[in-house]
Amino acid sequence: MAANTGFVIVGAGLAGAKAAQTLRKEGFDGPIVLLGEENQRPYERPPLSKGYLLGKDERDKVYVHPPQWYAEHDIDLRLGSTATGIDPAGHEVTLADGSRVGYAKLLLTTGSSPRRLPVPGADLDGVLYLRRLADSDRIKESFTSASRVAVIGAGWIGLETAAAARAAGVEVTVLQAAELPLLRVLGREVAQIFADLHTDHGVDLRSGVQVAEITSAGGRASAVLLNDGSRIEADAVIVGIGITPNSGLAEAAGLEIDNGIRVDAQLRSSDPDIYAAGDVANAFHPLLGKHIRVEHWANALNQPQTAAKAMLGQDVTYDRIPYFFTDQFDLGMEYSGYVEPGGYDRVVFRGRTESREFIAFWLADSRVLAGMNVNVWDVTEPIRDLVASGHPVDPTRLADPDVPLSGLLGQPDSTGR
């Protein structure tokens, strides 16, 4: 490919594939190179801890496009190709094999990597992390041979894999440093609901503990030792203690880094010809008035569409309300909005939490910051509208299931505002 004539996308996951798709849909007929480290064509990650891990979804369902789609749309998909450097001045990307690819515009969708557990024994066979398709395959295989699994970390990945293990009939112990699972994300009021969900389904949930070591037998992980001397026997250990944005390539190229690649509302980095989207992008959100980095599927799906249009010179901004979902046991949930830890002053519930069929709203100064619908469906749009409006609402009416959510928009709260 001739230098400086086409677009290059580094990262062949959902975000990279959607960016390439959007470029073609918007009429770009120049060269597009899509670089991916893995030997798998672009796939979606949510099934890896949900339907695919549970055995409900076939492998083909995880892929973004059929194999022939890339050739049919003249996308130069290069699998097993690792980008090792960016030359912003020369508009080139260097690959591990020493070759170079020129670009007019560059999009970084490099994603993130699981944080490694910093204790002795963390690299033993049988210590598993979940990020890639092959990881999900290994964890699924462990469920067929293991009778006891320890899950370290009670975030979304930890809880979803714990639920999948219980569904497979495996004994599960979840270990977490916090007092409750998802405490930083959801706050005490809703975190307790997820704690109860797992204990009700037979998960041994141990909170406020610190992992000291993973021991081995026969070269494989056999138990988790805690700082208090407790020993948790396990045939496999799944670690889900968060992820770190893969921003090293951008940082080495001199781009501005701040909890990921710092980009504006058009997903443009500090270099006007380099963009970023997905997990790795810390993007300015015009509705929230701040930079945020969101590690969820909806961002990987939607952000690259805005980035691609911006790369083509269109006047666009990314202002979608953050969204994510989970499925655990008999609980299905969708969350719309954004709340920083401790950034709310009350939670309002609509419905019955004890039956796990409700909507929870996080409020600050009577304004809805986020809403989470649990086993209640077809309410995502009005929840997003409430969040986007920024208008105060009456908490009493918000809690009343007889008051339509759409009827709360533009209505004064109990103070008359």
Side-chain angles (χ1 to χ4, degrees):
M1 160 179 152
N4 304 345
T5 62
F7 290 173
V8 173
I9 303 166
V10 179
L14 172 62
K18 283 297 178 181
Q21 178 181 325
T22 303
L23 288 170
R24 288 295 186 235
K25 183 178 179 181
E26 294 297 313
F28 179 69
D29 59 2
I32 299 175
V33 178
L34 178 55
L35 302 170
E37 288 186 348
E38 294 184 67
N39 289 314
Q40 297 282 346
R41 71 181 188 274
Y43 58 85
E44 302 194 38
R45 298 193 189 277
L48 306 190
S49 60
K50 298 181 176 71
Y52 181 70
L53 184 61
L54 286 162
K56 295 179 179 179
D57 294 340
E58 296 297 325
R59 191 181 185 90
D60 282 350
K61 290 189 68 174
V62 309
Y63 294 104
V64 183
H65 298 114
Q68 67 275 14
W69 183 90
Y70 299 93
E72 290 173 353
H73 290 81
D74 198 20
I75 308 294
D76 184 1
L77 175 61
R78 304 187 190 181
L79 301 178
S81 296
T82 301
T84 57
I86 301 170
D87 176 7
H91 281 63
E92 287 185 328
V93 175
T94 302
L95 305 183
D97 63 4
S99 63
R100 293 172 176 252
V101 184
Y103 65 85
K105 302 286 184 183
L106 172 65
L107 175 62
L108 300 176
T109 56
T110 46
S112 53
S113 297
R115 294 195 187 108
R116 314 307 284 189
L117 189 66
V119 301
D123 294 326
L124 287 167
D125 285 345
V127 178
L128 306 170
Y129 295 80
L130 179 56
R131 187 60 184 169
R132 298 186 171 187
L133 186 55
D135 298 332
S136 187
D137 287 334
R138 280 189 286 269
I139 292 173
K140 189 191 300 187
E141 174 61 27
S142 77
F143 293 164
T144 66
S145 57
S147 60
R148 301 164 300 185
V149 169
V151 178
I152 301 175
W156 298 115
I157 292 296
L159 294 185
E160 289 176 357
T161 54
R166 289 297 297 138
V170 179
E171 292 182 16
V172 179
T173 302
V174 172
L175 307 168
Q176 60 166 350
E179 182 183 349
L180 289 168
L182 303 167
L183 185 59
R184 279 178 53 84
V185 180
L186 301 178
R188 182 175 305 278
E189 300 89 340
V190 181
Q192 185 64 56
I193 293 169
F194 280 88
D196 294 342
L197 171 70
H198 278 258
T199 56
D200 287 352
H201 283 84
V203 173
D204 182 1
L205 181 61
R206 304 197 187 186
S207 302
V209 300
Q210 297 288 337
V211 174
E213 183 181 354
I214 299 175
T215 63
S216 65
R220 287 186 56 83
S222 60
V224 179
L225 297 185
L226 305 182
N227 279 357
D228 64 4
S230 301
R231 178 184 177 91
I232 314 300
E233 302 291 340
D235 304 308
V237 178
I238 301 170
V239 180
I241 55 173
I243 58 178
T244 301
N246 294 330
S247 54
L249 193 66
E251 185 172 9
L255 302 185
E256 185 176 356
I257 303 297
D258 175 17
N259 182 30
I261 304 172
R262 190 176 175 91
V263 295
D264 61 19
Q266 291 76 43
L267 290 312
R268 183 184 295 108
S269 76
S270 53
D271 183 303
D273 292 330
I274 302 179
Y275 296 72
D279 284 3
V280 77
N282 184 5
F284 182 78
H285 197 289
L287 290 180
L288 301 174
K290 65 180 75 174
H291 278 79
I292 63 170
R293 189 174 66 83
V294 179
E295 302 170 347
H296 295 293
W297 163 86
N299 252 33
L301 176 70
N302 297 304
Q303 264 193 354
Q305 299 177 52
T306 296
K309 293 175 182 178
M311 293 164 72
L312 294 172
Q314 298 181 25
D315 184 14
V316 291
T317 59
Y318 188 77
D319 60 1
R320 292 179 67 95
I321 298 297
Y323 167 91
F324 62 89
F325 69 99
T326 191
D327 295 298
Q328 299 172 34
F329 303 112
D330 55 354
L331 183 150
M333 176 277 274
E334 297 174 295
Y335 178 107
S336 302
Y338 181 80
V339 184
E340 293 182 329
Y344 65 97
D345 53 41
R346 69 184 298 182
V347 175
V348 173
F349 291 99
R350 170 183 287 225
R352 300 173 60 234
T353 58
E354 60 271 20
S355 65
R356 299 188 184 118
E357 190 171 321
F358 63 90
I359 307 174
F361 299 94
W362 287 260
L363 275 66
D365 194 25
S366 296
R367 289 170 169 81
V368 178
L369 304 178
M372 183 179 82
N373 48 298
V374 174
N375 293 333
V376 177
W377 308 112
D378 300 323
V379 293
T380 300
E381 188 171 342
I383 291 174
R384 285 176 177 168
D385 290 343
L386 282 171
V387 174
S389 74
H391 194 280
V393 299
D394 184 340
T396 301
R397 300 182 73 234
L398 185 64
D400 187 348
D402 292 329
V403 177
L405 293 178
S406 58
L408 294 165
L409 288 172
Q411 296 296 316
D413 66 8
S414 57
T415 66
R417 291 182 294 179

